[in-house]
Amino acid sequence: MHPLLRKAIKERFGKLNRLQQDAFREISSGKSVLILAPTGSGKTEAAVLPVFNEILEGNLKPISALYIAPLKALNRDLLERLQWWGQKLGISVEVRHGDTSAYRKAKQVKNPPRMLIITPETLGVILTVKSLRKYLENVKFVIVDEIAELVDNKRGAQLLLGLERLAEIADFRRIGMTATVGNEEEVREWLKAESIVKPNWKKQYRFHVLYPSSTEEDEKLARELNLSPEIASRLRLLWRIVEEHGKALIFTNTRQFAEILAHRLKTWGKPVEVHHGSLSRDARINAEKALKEGRIKALICTSSMELGIDIGDVDVVIQYMSPRQVNRLVQRVGRAKHRIGEISEGYIIATNVEDYLQSLIIAKRALDERFEAVEPIGGLDVLAHFIVGMLIEYKKLPRERPYEIAKQAYVYRDLSWSDYLDVLKVLEDARLIGYDGEKNLLYLRRGAFQYYYENLSTIPDEVSWRVFDTKTGHVIGRLDESFIMDLEEGMDFVMSGKSWTVLKIDDEARLLKVRESKNLESAIPSWEGEMIPVPFGVAFEVGRLKRELSFDFEKAKGLLEGLEFSEEELRRAFEEIREEIFSTDRDIVVESTPKALIIHADFGNRTNEALGRLVHSLLILRYGRVFSVRSQGHAIVLKTPFQLNPEEVKRYLYQDPESLEFIVARALRDSHAYRWRMLNVAKRFGALRRDAKIRRVERLFEGTIIEKETLNELYHDKVDVGKGKLVLEMLERGSLRVKTVLRKEPSKLARLNMTVGGEFLLSGTLERDEILGLFRKRLLDHEVVLVCTNCGWSARTKVARLQNIELRQCPRCGSKMLAVAHPIDAEEFLPVLEKVRRGKPLERKEERTYRKLLKAADLVDSYGFEAVLALASYGTGPDTAARLLAQYRGEALLVALMEREREFIRTRRFWVDKREKENSESKGAL
């Protein structure tokens, strides 16, 4: 080991732990390595220290190492952590992603670092930057962090192809890091690692699964917070755990639920903040700091806090409602007391009987280290992007060369030559590439560069849809496209505390036509699109637990050995359902009620989606399109206009297993989800422009490779046809049976699956008002600068202080032209104003800065404090503010500003890239 590194290790943490020692030995021996270890085991240092050592020992040239991390937020923490080592060792470490300024990127080209931290998408960019290419030839190591976040999606496929492109010009070793997964050998092969390094100790967890009931104390809190006593009991228990342990992370499964829970606790006067991916970077950093510095006791978060973001020591993790997957629970609870030898303690607070039983099984599987496998996926659309990228690099290539390189990647090892030729045909038809048959060469065409850079990300751009109330003739709000994707005409959904029936989905206009339904029962909450799917194994084992509980309670308790739970709560939970018929690992129950048919089936979301599509298709053949279907972890719910005979539906389940894929594929082709996916797949292929709106996209690409890829993506993400076949085979051989029941009123479990999943949803518009109040409060806390655009007087202040003062006059010169600006904008404006006052000509960028502040001043003069609110909101400049202020007032303005913020956060990368391009153009002109 190099003496500088030895000295730095001693200063940082004395000595390497066993995992780090093993990784050091394996990597230093020249191997590619996969490091598999829980949160807090020192994986990052295990990966990077041997790399730093070889950089020092061999005096390796820049860029010696690439560190690839899936999240930009993770990059921020990594940069601080790795730069500490870099400074001690004299090794330069820098970060590069979509938000990196043009100035920093230019600096990296002139003076490249030894280690560069990037996202998977950035790899696709730097491979095509001529000025960086000579440095990429020096890469000796590629470190991939949080591999489990990449394996099962197309970002991972794109990364693997990017690494194969890099392997054409550089000879490097691969080092991967991930928390424990159920298929570690496959993940090793995915990375092309030669060995796996794991800790020699078992991570200790303590899981408590709680199902509280309300007390008299909760009645009082319920009245105070305008909640049901049951919800109040859960809040009281949650806060008692925080008080007993100290610093806490409270995980929820969706962003909207995190907001609602945080607001309930704040209303109760508790020191908490919220953290999720839709918040601005500044808001997230402030929340992280507040917890780190002890100004708050708990951070309410979603998966945004799973991936190693530095928030200091956490004493306990609370999961509100079932985590739905073992891997999620372990990753989240691992954030508490994550040092080696410490026991990570986690509590799950369940909200209903199904939630409770599921939580027990997940916690038990976590204790037994029975993790879910992550399912690798390739993608022919990703392959198309790779081919164009190769041609950008080499201009011309023999036709078979991209095929040969792609097949080196794990997820393309079985790629057929015919599929490859079909992909080439799509690219040729789109005029992105050409083929010279005589010379057998592929070459680049004019539109290729735009296509390549527009499709660097495999994540679809989120577009919001307008929701139009046909009764009032007004747009009542907007919904994310990812939620619209799962809606069908005739379905009910919840928005602003009311339920609405979908009358028409207008793809071209991105408009949802609805009418109020007054039916909260079967309505889908608008955050369901974010819900984590329950795996087959977890759901099936919940079925087994229900069966064991019904026969022998003591034996059933044995299934949960090692878990911290209350026997009394388990008895109470089972008492809630034992008098009614319920599904198990050996029984499917078809329950028919006057307005809905519920198939109770413990097979998880994706398998139930396959079975639900099967039954729905067969019902449509007989009765027409009068049903809507919704599949969940433990049930399939069909909304029906009349009471169905459950025996008829039972017959539909006894189908030939081999027919399932054909029936499901036909059903999917009629769905909105299929059209939405196909649109995005076609864009990734280059067959459609990014801004294209096609009314009948499914007809356009019927029978093509684009249709094939759309179905592959749906089967991977949403519908498990393989497990669906398994269920039909079990029915065929009699290891599963179907029970039927006809009821006037739905059973307890049926009601759970029919009703809205969000327990804080009350009738009326209470939630909406509260969320708007939260948003307004955040705007009032925002720091802005008041600037006189006439004389340059300025003062930094909070928006709240401007509420009750006259904004009409500058205290220095008496001008009415006072602007409200972001501190950076104000700083840029003042020297520009000085030039104007001296009569000097302005450059193009300076002129934009000047006009921007003048317009802001004009808005403040015309609209007063409402203009201040608009200008203080994230992503709203004077032009957008002017448009919104002309249309909205009061509460409507707040709604519009909030929607604008969400839209800006989703498209921020585009605006940043556009601004950098403009800046570089103006510099070029100079």
Side-chain angles (χ1 to χ4, degrees):
M1 187 183 287
H2 194 280
L4 274 178
L5 181 59
R6 196 181 298 278
K7 185 181 173 187
I9 289 170
K10 195 170 183 182
E11 183 183 335
R12 186 74 164 184
F13 35 60
K15 63 176 184 176
L16 299 181
N17 65 38
R18 180 65 184 273
L19 175 77
Q20 291 161 343
Q21 289 171 26
D22 291 347
F24 200 101
R25 186 179 59 252
E26 287 288 282
I27 294 165
S28 298
S29 72
K31 290 181 183 174
S32 287
V33 170
L34 174 64
I35 301 168
L36 269 166
T39 304
S41 24
K43 285 195 295 284
T44 303
E45 278 76 13
V48 299
L49 296 187
V51 172
F52 283 144
N53 189 58
E54 292 206 27
I55 290 172
L56 289 170
E57 295 275 13
N59 193 24
L60 301 181
K61 297 176 186 176
I63 300 169
S64 325
L66 291 175
Y67 191 118
I68 302 174
L71 289 181
K72 283 188 284 191
L74 199 56
N75 285 339
R76 187 181 73 235
D77 279 332
L78 278 170
L79 188 61
E80 288 173 15
R81 196 160 157 191
L82 297 182
Q83 278 182 339
W84 184 91
W85 289 101
Q87 283 159 10
K88 295 290 175 184
L89 304 173
I91 294 172
S92 51
V93 178
E94 291 207 22
V95 69
R96 184 184 181 111
H97 51 60
D99 291 349
T100 306
S101 69
Y103 169 74
R104 287 227 59 85
K105 287 176 183 174
K107 210 172 174 189
Q108 286 167 1
V109 170
K110 287 177 186 171
N111 188 20
R114 300 277 191 95
M115 178 179 280
L116 184 62
I117 307 171
I118 58 172
T119 61
E121 290 75 19
T122 311
L123 179 60
V125 177
I126 62 176
L127 281 165
T128 61
V129 176
K130 281 184 186 175
S131 48
L132 275 177
R133 198 167 175 80
K134 59 185 175 186
Y135 301 116
L136 290 178
E137 291 172 8
N138 300 330
V139 171
K140 293 288 180 272
F141 299 93
V142 173
I143 302 165
V144 185
D145 203 351
E146 299 294 354
I147 281 185
E149 293 295 311
L150 296 166
V151 172
D152 68 347
N153 56 64
K154 290 188 174 182
R155 288 183 85 196
Q158 191 175 38
L159 172 62
L160 286 192
L161 290 174
L163 292 179
E164 294 306 330
R165 286 166 64 185
L166 181 63
E168 289 295 296
I169 59 170
D171 181 19
F172 60 89
R173 276 174 267 164
R174 303 176 188 216
I175 302 165
M177 291 177 278
T178 186
T180 318
V181 292
N183 53 332
E184 53 190 53
E185 272 302 317
E186 186 173 25
V187 173
R188 181 191 63 75
E189 287 183 49
W190 183 92
L191 182 66
K192 282 191 174 176
E194 295 154 274
S195 67
I196 294 174
V197 174
K198 294 160 75 172
N200 63 338
W201 46 271
K202 184 178 174 182
K203 171 67 180 169
Q204 297 294 305
Y205 296 96
R206 186 177 295 132
F207 299 111
H208 309 260
V209 183
L210 308 168
Y211 187 37
S213 54
S214 59
T215 63
E216 282 183 28
E217 190 184 343
D218 299 319
E219 300 276 354
K220 183 184 171 190
L221 181 60
R223 285 192 296 273
E224 188 184 321
L225 298 179
N226 195 19
L227 299 167
S228 71
E230 290 74 27
I231 295 171
S233 72
R234 292 191 273 277
L235 290 187
R236 180 179 51 78
L237 176 61
L238 181 150
W239 200 253
R240 193 185 79 208
I241 295 165
V242 175
E243 294 283 9
E244 284 173 0
H245 289 82
K247 199 183 285 185
L249 285 179
I250 302 167
F251 280 97
T252 68
N253 292 328
T254 69
R255 291 166 292 179
Q256 192 169 354
F257 197 81
E259 289 279 4
I260 293 166
L261 181 58
H263 181 50
R264 296 294 184 190
L265 289 168
K266 283 181 176 182
T267 304
W268 192 18
K270 304 305 178 189
V272 300
E273 285 299 338
V274 71
H275 188 290
H276 57 71
S278 291
L279 292 171
S280 70
R281 180 175 178 271
D282 289 346
R284 291 197 305 269
I285 291 171
N286 289 339
E288 291 160 22
K289 278 184 180 172
L291 186 70
K292 207 171 179 179
E293 294 165 6
R295 288 182 278 120
I296 58 171
K297 296 199 78 168
L299 200 58
I300 295 161
C301 49
T302 59
S303 52
S304 62
M305 283 307 300
E306 286 177 11
L307 302 181
I309 294 169
D310 181 21
I311 43 157
D313 292 333
V314 171
D315 301 302
V316 69
V317 166
I318 302 166
Q319 168 69 44
Y320 198 96
M321 300 173 75
S322 163
R324 299 170 75 85
Q325 291 178 359
V326 178
N327 295 2
R328 294 277 179 177
L329 178 65
V330 169
Q331 187 85 332
R332 290 173 177 188
V333 174
R335 297 304 308 269
K337 294 183 179 172
H338 61 222
R339 290 190 179 87
I340 294 167
E342 291 186 317
I343 298 173
S344 292
E345 194 152 14
Y347 291 78
I348 307 173
I349 299 178
T351 61
N352 60 57
V353 58
E354 200 168 77
D355 196 48
Y356 178 60
L357 297 176
Q358 191 185 101
S359 299
L360 288 168
I361 291 299
I362 288 170
K364 175 59 177 166
R365 286 169 78 97
L367 279 181
D368 295 344
E369 297 187 331
R370 291 159 63 204
F371 304 104
E372 286 98 15
V374 283
E375 298 176 33
I377 182 174
L380 297 171
D381 47 356
V382 177
L383 179 69
H385 189 261
F386 158 78
I387 293 165
V388 174
M390 289 288 297
L391 288 171
I392 288 173
E393 285 184 68
Y394 298 100
K395 306 304 177 217
K396 291 182 180 180
L397 283 169
R399 182 167 68 160
E400 61 280 359
R401 191 67 191 125
Y403 176 73
E404 291 164 357
I405 295 168
K407 277 182 74 75
Q408 308 276 335
Y410 178 78
V411 290
Y412 293 98
R413 65 197 185 284
D414 299 324
L415 175 67
S416 69
W417 178 249
S418 63
D419 276 354
Y420 174 70
L421 291 181
D422 284 342
V423 172
L424 291 183
K425 177 78 167 55
V426 172
L427 292 172
E428 285 180 64
D429 290 346
R431 303 185 68 79
L432 298 174
I433 67 168
Y435 175 58
D436 183 336
E438 285 183 19
K439 296 180 180 176
N440 188 37
L441 287 176
L442 297 171
Y443 59 89
L444 215 54
R445 302 193 74 158
R446 277 180 65 185
F449 285 88
Q450 184 178 349
Y451 155 76
Y452 183 78
Y453 292 110
E454 280 183 350
N455 288 278
L456 283 165
S457 174
T458 59
I459 303 165
D461 291 333
E462 275 285 349
V463 178
S464 60
W465 285 50
R466 291 171 299 149
V467 182
F468 180 78
D469 182 358
T470 54
K471 186 177 178 182
T472 63
H474 291 135
V475 172
I476 52 170
R478 289 177 175 270
L479 286 172
D480 285 352
E481 192 163 33
S482 55
F483 176 63
I484 301 284
M485 181 183 77
D486 291 325
L487 289 180
E488 300 290 343
E489 288 170 9
M491 277 190 178
D492 288 351
F493 69 95
V494 175
M495 184 177 171
S496 301
K498 296 179 182 178
S499 66
W500 308 87
T501 299
V502 179
L503 301 177
K504 185 171 175 56
I505 300 173
D506 188 334
D507 293 273
E508 193 170 13
R510 292 193 178 123
L511 188 72
L512 205 64
K513 292 183 178 176
V514 301
R515 68 158 184 261
E516 194 172 346
S517 73
K518 306 285 186 192
N519 177 25
L520 274 170
E521 280 204 340
S522 60
I524 309 167
S526 59
W527 55 82
E528 187 162 283
E530 298 173 51
M531 287 299 274
I532 301 155
V534 179
F536 178 88
V538 167
F540 198 66
E541 206 163 327
V542 170
R544 182 191 171 193
L545 178 60
K546 285 188 283 186
R547 177 170 58 82
E548 295 284 8
L549 284 167
S550 64
F551 283 106
D552 187 336
F553 186 86
E554 291 303 314
K555 187 182 173 188
K557 267 188 356 186
L559 296 175
L560 306 171
E561 191 179 345
L563 274 189
E564 304 271 346
F565 70 96
S566 156
E567 184 177 324
E568 183 192 331
E569 287 176 2
L570 182 59
R571 284 189 187 279
R572 178 166 54 81
F574 190 62
E575 287 297 326
E576 290 182 36
I577 60 168
R578 71 177 308 153
E579 298 306 317
E580 298 172 336
I581 195 166
F582 53 83
S583 58
T584 72
D585 59 335
R586 295 180 186 173
D587 302 284
I588 295 172
V589 175
V590 179
E591 177 181 342
S592 180
T593 72
K595 291 185 178 179
L597 180 125
I598 302 90
I599 302 171
H600 300 276
D602 295 307
F603 306 125
N605 290 71
R606 290 173 59 217
T607 306
N608 280 349
E609 187 70 40
L611 300 174
R613 296 276 177 185
L614 167 71
V615 171
H616 188 231
S617 297
L618 297 173
L619 283 170
I620 284 172
L621 278 176
R622 178 159 188 196
Y623 299 105
R625 294 183 177 279
V626 291
F627 309 97
S628 65
V629 63
R630 178 179 166 216
S631 300
Q632 295 168 167
H634 299 276
I636 301 155
V637 179
L638 287 135
K639 188 179 169 187
T640 63
F642 50 84
Q643 189 156 13
L644 286 163
N645 180 351
E647 288 295 325
E648 177 192 345
V649 176
K650 174 181 176 178
R651 287 197 300 275
Y652 293 154
L653 288 167
Y654 286 90
Q655 293 293 318
D656 175 7
E658 293 308 311
S659 68
L660 182 67
E661 186 168 348
F662 173 75
I663 296 170
V664 168
R666 279 192 61 177
L668 284 173
R669 285 186 183 96
D670 283 338
S671 70
H672 184 69
Y674 176 78
R675 290 191 289 278
W676 186 79
R677 294 266 181 168
M678 180 176 271
L679 198 63
N680 284 299
V681 167
K683 287 173 182 177
R684 286 197 291 267
F685 264 110
L688 290 177
R689 292 193 317 274
R690 293 297 283 182
D691 58 352
K693 294 180 190 176
I694 306 293
R695 185 183 289 276
R696 301 299 291 177
V697 66
E698 68 275 24
R699 288 184 188 167
L700 194 61
F701 299 113
E702 197 173 345
T704 68
I705 197 88
I706 291 170
E707 180 185 67
K708 180 178 180 177
E709 184 54 38
T710 302
L711 287 170
N712 285 344
E713 193 174 294
L714 280 164
Y715 290 151
H716 181 274
D717 294 349
K718 289 279 183 184
V719 189
D720 193 334
V721 173
K723 289 286 194 305
K725 278 185 186 176
L726 176 66
V727 171
L728 297 188
E729 286 164 5
M730 289 166 74
L731 285 165
E732 204 172 48
R733 64 174 181 260
S735 56
L736 254 181
R737 61 186 173 181
V738 181
K739 297 177 179 178
T740 60
V741 58
L742 199 66
R743 300 178 64 103
K744 288 182 179 176
E745 294 293 331
S747 65
K748 169 100 179 176
L749 285 175
R751 277 197 305 276
L752 276 181
N753 284 289
M754 286 167 65
T755 54
V756 171
E759 62 159 19
F760 286 104
L761 188 75
L762 304 177
S763 56
T765 57
L766 181 61
E767 277 179 20
R768 178 172 171 275
D769 294 343
E770 288 177 335
I771 291 168
L772 282 178
L774 266 177
F775 178 65
R776 190 173 198 278
K777 185 175 181 296
R778 183 156 61 77
L779 290 184
L780 294 176
D781 284 343
H782 200 76
E783 205 166 63
V784 292
V785 178
L786 206 55
V787 186
C788 175
T789 57
N790 182 53
C791 72
W793 171 87
S794 66
R796 190 180 279 239
T797 183
K798 284 198 170 181
V799 171
R801 293 185 194 132
L802 301 176
Q803 273 185 102
N804 303 313
I805 64 169
E806 189 62 49
L807 297 170
R808 307 292 184 196
Q809 225 169 345
C810 169
R812 185 197 286 168
C813 71
S815 167
K816 289 185 176 181
M817 291 301 284
L818 285 176
V820 168
H822 186 279
I824 294 172
D825 289 338
E827 199 177 313
E828 287 179 355
F829 173 76
L830 293 174
V832 172
L833 178 62
E834 190 60 31
K835 281 182 82 170
V836 170
R837 295 179 74 189
R838 289 182 182 178
K840 290 186 176 180
L842 299 180
E843 293 168 9
R844 201 162 78 187
K845 187 182 174 187
E846 290 174 327
E847 194 171 324
R848 280 202 301 269
T849 302
Y850 184 62
R851 289 182 183 279
K852 184 177 178 180
L853 267 283
L854 284 184
K855 186 153 193 175
D858 191 41
L859 290 174
V860 172
D861 186 46
S862 302
Y863 296 102
F865 186 67
E866 287 202 325
V868 177
L869 284 177
L871 293 163
S873 71
Y874 185 63
T876 304
D879 289 336
T880 306
R883 180 171 54 79
L884 296 179
L885 287 161
Q887 288 179 285
Y888 305 106
R889 285 286 185 283
E891 188 185 277
L893 176 64
L894 283 176
V895 172
L897 290 172
M898 194 159 64
E899 290 294 342
R900 167 62 192 162
E901 266 203 14
R902 288 171 66 195
E903 187 182 345
F904 181 78
I905 289 162
R906 283 197 300 269
T907 59
R908 187 168 186 268
R909 178 179 57 82
F910 166 76
W911 296 110
V912 170
D913 290 350
K914 185 180 177 185
R915 193 157 55 241
E916 285 181 4
K917 188 179 173 188
E918 286 171 350
N919 289 346
S920 60
E921 281 173 359
S922 61
K923 281 172 189 165
L926 294 172

